[in-house]
Amino acid sequence: MSENYNYQLTVDKVLEYGERVYPDREIVYRDKRRYTFESFGRKVRNLAGGLQRLGVKPGDKVGVIDWDTDVYLMSYYAIPMMGAMLHTVNVRYPPELIVKTILHAEDKWLIVRDEFLPLIEKAGNYLNNVKIIAYSDENKVKYPDVMELINNDDNQFQQQEISENTPATIFYTSGTTGEPKGVWFTHRDLILHAMSCSIAAAKPPISATPEDVYLILVPLFHVHQWGYPYLFMLGGNKYVLPGRYDPTIELNLMKNEGVTFSAMVPTILYMILSHPDAPKYSEVFKNWRVLIGGAALPKGLADTARKFGITVMAGYGLSETAPVLTISYYNSKVEKLPDEKKFEQQIKTGVPIPLVELRVVDPEFKDVPHDGNTIGEIVVRAPWLTREYYKDPEKTKRLWSGGWLHTGDLAVVDEYGYIRIVDRDKDAIKSGGEFIPSLLLEDVISSHPKIGQVAVVGMPDEKWGERPVAFIVLKDKMTEEELKNYLMQKAEEGKIRKWWIPDKFVFLSDLPKTSTNKIDKKSLRDIIKAK
């Protein structure tokens, strides 16, 4: 009988590699706490052992409600290593949706930062079966304390070997329906994704090396922070955690910690570059490379960054794809081009990273020509894509129609093989890198007794990428101010977020319809363009 060992791709292997090869590399959380990779690994196992002692079992779902902190980063390892499932709860959802996703995921435990405890306690009647663990950077908490678990070296983690096919993470995304949809991933998915991203990151213009210092300004609750919680450990990179985002703090961290690489949505870069102190950091910016995702990288913003001496490039992916599919690194054709031509390519959507099969197809599912003009839908295959929408077979069937994952994103392919997204087959509005679900917003607006019909579409915005515009048919007279006050009330009730409230309301006698009598949102967007 063979005694070959069946090696499993699990996240603990990533942690062990970082500890062994880069034991003195640092992880920094603001000015509050810092660790070497070696001490970080010990704290992770303390946390895992402490959670075991409290009763967390393999298969349990453990939600985390926090900003980008050391505690959250430890959870990315400790919870999956136990055979449990990490639920990265989106704190930017309205309270009602936060509770809904916790219930839908069937979380048994919640790790909660103190400032979010009132939200969870208010929903206590709905969350009676969820056990709370909490922590604070300054104060004592009345629940089992996460920091005590982390700092207790007597917490002996009883690690058992688990299958690489064990579910490791789950989170929720709002798409075309406006309702949260759960996507989940296994250990194997996460490791293969991280390894492929590592290969792509070594290529120019990113050209990552172990000497790079990372400050990732993508929330840890958002699509695995684009894979960086595992990437930095594989790459041996010093990792800087900013907590709750604040451009002033981020600039100081960049200077004080020697940051050389970041990833973020365009709005965050805009906020940093438009900060009144930005010119003082010109020397820091000259060594800074920035990967932009979550929304298209506007050329104007890219030009502004380039004037600061910053190297910018684009990437692309979805919640359903873990997320990375493409990065605008140089392929063999583009690396031979003049610098200006290279710049044009690196701010496009990019080329697939290793192991991604990506096609842009026409309605007959044939690949579009690489002419930079013919539009098709992006469909993909890769070894780390979500298998399903959690507990939603109907939407899963549509997602995987024909054996390819349908992104709903419309794009062209140029002569060099680079993808450029030109539109989205989605009505969810991307504002500041986060979706504003149009159907959910429409539902709340339509609940006003004076509203007859409503349709919400996105309007281009220099700062936020897009902002919502509401087209409304009234049943009775009302003012824009009256409607805004109504929506503010709904925001206070937790039905929507305040920043979802449209910047503009357009009152019409009727809404344009398609041939199937649906509201024609394309025509509404044309109205915006014409104004």
Side-chain angles (χ1 to χ4, degrees):
M1 179 182 289
S2 171
E3 295 184 4
N4 289 347
Y5 175 68
N6 186 14
Y7 192 95
Q8 299 296 296
L9 297 175
T10 51
V11 300
D12 54 291
K13 310 294 199 321
V14 175
L15 184 65
E16 289 165 5
Y17 171 79
E19 291 174 287
R20 173 171 290 188
V21 181
Y22 303 103
D24 56 355
R25 202 72 93 216
E26 283 190 308
I27 295 167
V28 180
Y29 166 44
R30 282 199 173 187
D31 59 351
K32 298 183 180 299
R33 292 182 286 273
R34 61 178 64 222
Y35 313 84
T36 62
F37 281 16
E38 192 171 50
S39 65
F40 178 80
R42 185 171 65 253
K43 300 291 186 182
V44 166
R45 291 181 182 86
N46 287 351
L47 175 58
L51 293 174
Q52 280 181 332
R53 185 166 51 79
L54 288 175
V56 178
K57 294 179 174 59
D60 284 357
K61 296 189 182 75
V62 183
V64 177
I65 304 178
D66 196 359
W67 302 115
D68 289 6
T69 69
D70 52 341
V71 171
Y72 211 147
L73 186 63
M74 289 177 192
S75 301
Y76 260 81
Y77 288 91
I79 293 168
M81 281 166 55
M82 302 172 62
M85 203 169 181
L86 169 67
H87 175 197
T88 55
V89 179
N90 188 337
V91 299
R92 290 183 183 164
Y93 274 144
E96 185 178 76
L97 286 188
I98 289 175
V99 174
K100 184 181 288 188
T101 59
I102 291 169
L103 293 172
H104 189 268
E106 302 168 292
D107 290 347
K108 289 189 176 181
W109 304 81
L110 286 176
I111 294 175
V112 187
R113 186 178 176 85
D114 56 351
E115 65 192 89
F116 296 107
L117 282 171
L119 183 156
I120 297 303
E121 290 169 345
K122 190 175 180 181
N125 290 337
Y126 297 98
L127 303 176
N128 286 330
N129 296 323
V130 181
K131 299 181 181 68
I132 296 174
I133 313 165
Y135 86 99
S136 170
D137 284 338
E138 286 88 21
N139 305 311
K140 190 75 177 170
V141 292
K142 62 182 180 182
Y143 299 95
D145 193 326
V146 178
M147 296 309 300
E148 289 181 3
L149 301 183
I150 289 170
N151 292 320
N152 186 352
D153 291 334
D154 292 330
N155 285 332
Q156 295 296 315
F157 174 44
Q158 303 300 318
Q159 182 157 357
Q160 298 179 354
E161 186 149 336
I162 58 176
S163 166
E164 63 185 22
N165 296 313
T166 302
T169 62
I170 185 170
F171 57 88
Y172 285 76
T173 174
S174 290
T176 53
T177 65
E179 282 291 317
K181 298 189 294 294
V183 291
W184 59 273
F185 302 88
T186 67
H187 284 253
R188 183 176 187 271
D189 298 335
L190 300 179
I191 300 306
L192 289 176
H193 176 267
M195 292 175 71
S196 183
C197 289
S198 294
I199 294 169
K203 303 177 186 295
I206 301 179
S207 304
T209 75
E211 302 307 312
D212 278 309
V213 178
Y214 288 1
L215 170 64
I216 306 302
L217 296 174
V218 178
L220 279 161
F221 63 73
H222 184 64
V223 206
H224 305 130
Q225 200 185 45
W226 298 357
Y228 284 101
Y230 305 119
L231 267 166
F232 87 91
M233 191 67 70
L234 288 174
N237 301 103
K238 180 179 175 180
Y239 209 63
V240 182
L241 292 153
R244 186 171 186 170
Y245 292 175
D246 179 322
T248 301
I249 289 173
E250 290 150 16
L251 285 166
N252 285 332
L253 284 171
M254 286 175 62
K255 181 180 179 181
N256 296 337
E257 302 297 339
V259 170
T260 60
F261 178 82
S262 297
M264 64 192 73
V265 299
T267 304
I268 299 294
L269 181 59
Y270 176 89
M271 289 178 173
I272 290 173
L273 298 186
S274 60
H275 191 281
D277 291 339
K280 299 177 185 177
Y281 292 84
S282 58
E283 290 303 311
V284 175
F285 290 153
K286 288 176 183 176
N287 297 316
W288 198 30
R289 283 154 288 147
V290 178
L291 179 66
I292 295 292
L297 172 57
K299 190 171 188 302
L301 180 60
D303 282 332
T304 300
R306 186 161 58 158
K307 289 173 184 174
F308 274 102
I310 301 165
T311 300
V312 289
M313 67 222 77
Y316 164 68
L318 309 171
S319 295
E320 293 85 345
T321 64
V324 182
L325 295 171
T326 71
I327 294 176
S328 56
Y329 58 84
Y330 301 151
N331 67 11
S332 61
K333 291 181 178 180
V334 168
E335 67 184 1
K336 300 169 187 173
L337 296 176
D339 287 347
E340 192 60 32
K341 287 285 187 183
K342 284 182 180 177
F343 178 73
E344 290 176 10
Q345 296 303 120
Q346 72 193 51
I347 64 174
K348 291 184 177 180
T349 308
V351 289
I353 65 173
L355 305 183
V356 172
E357 291 182 58
L358 184 148
R359 299 170 61 197
V360 179
V361 298
D362 64 18
E364 282 74 48
F365 218 71
K366 295 179 181 177
D367 294 288
V368 302
H370 291 196
D371 57 10
N373 294 309
T374 307
I375 297 172
E377 183 195 7
I378 298 175
V379 296
V380 293
R381 287 173 175 167
W384 53 74
L385 309 185
T386 192
R387 293 145 186 78
E388 63 175 357
Y389 287 127
Y390 186 56
K391 297 193 290 190
D392 197 335
E394 186 179 328
K395 290 189 179 71
T396 298
K397 187 176 180 180
R398 291 200 296 270
L399 179 70
W400 278 104
S401 175
W404 290 80
L405 188 145
H406 289 251
T407 68
D409 290 315
L410 304 179
V412 297
V413 188
D414 69 17
E415 61 185 305
Y416 304 109
Y418 280 63
I419 313 297
R420 180 168 66 89
I421 293 176
V422 296
D423 204 351
R424 286 194 293 274
D425 190 23
K426 299 177 180 179
D427 290 325
I429 298 153
K430 202 62 153 309
S431 186
E434 297 288 331
F435 278 120
I436 298 177
S438 62
L439 295 186
L440 186 60
L441 186 53
E442 288 167 6
D443 190 56
V444 172
I445 295 173
S446 67
S447 68
H448 193 287
K450 293 183 180 180
I451 301 293
Q453 288 182 301
V454 58
V456 176
V457 299
M459 174 179 67
D461 184 271
E462 183 179 351
K463 180 177 180 181
W464 299 107
E466 286 183 318
R467 289 296 299 151
V469 178
F471 289 85
I472 292 167
V473 177
L474 293 173
K475 289 193 292 187
D476 199 358
K477 288 183 180 180
M478 74 179 303
T479 64
E480 184 173 316
E481 192 65 26
E482 183 181 351
L483 181 53
K484 281 187 175 179
N485 289 337
Y486 178 77
L487 294 178
M488 285 295 291
Q489 178 187 334
K490 292 298 178 184
E492 290 169 1
E493 294 172 6
K495 302 291 184 184
I496 59 172
R497 300 292 277 182
K498 288 181 181 179
W499 62 276
W500 290 8
I501 296 174
D503 291 350
K504 188 174 182 181
F505 297 86
V506 180
F507 296 92
L508 301 174
S509 58
D510 195 15
L511 296 177
K513 308 291 195 301
T514 67
S515 58
T516 56
N517 211 35
K518 295 178 181 178
I519 295 172
D520 188 352
K521 290 194 172 182
K522 183 179 183 300
S523 295
L524 295 177
R525 292 187 184 97
D526 290 340
I527 291 172
I528 294 170
K529 290 177 184 176
K531 290 192 173 186

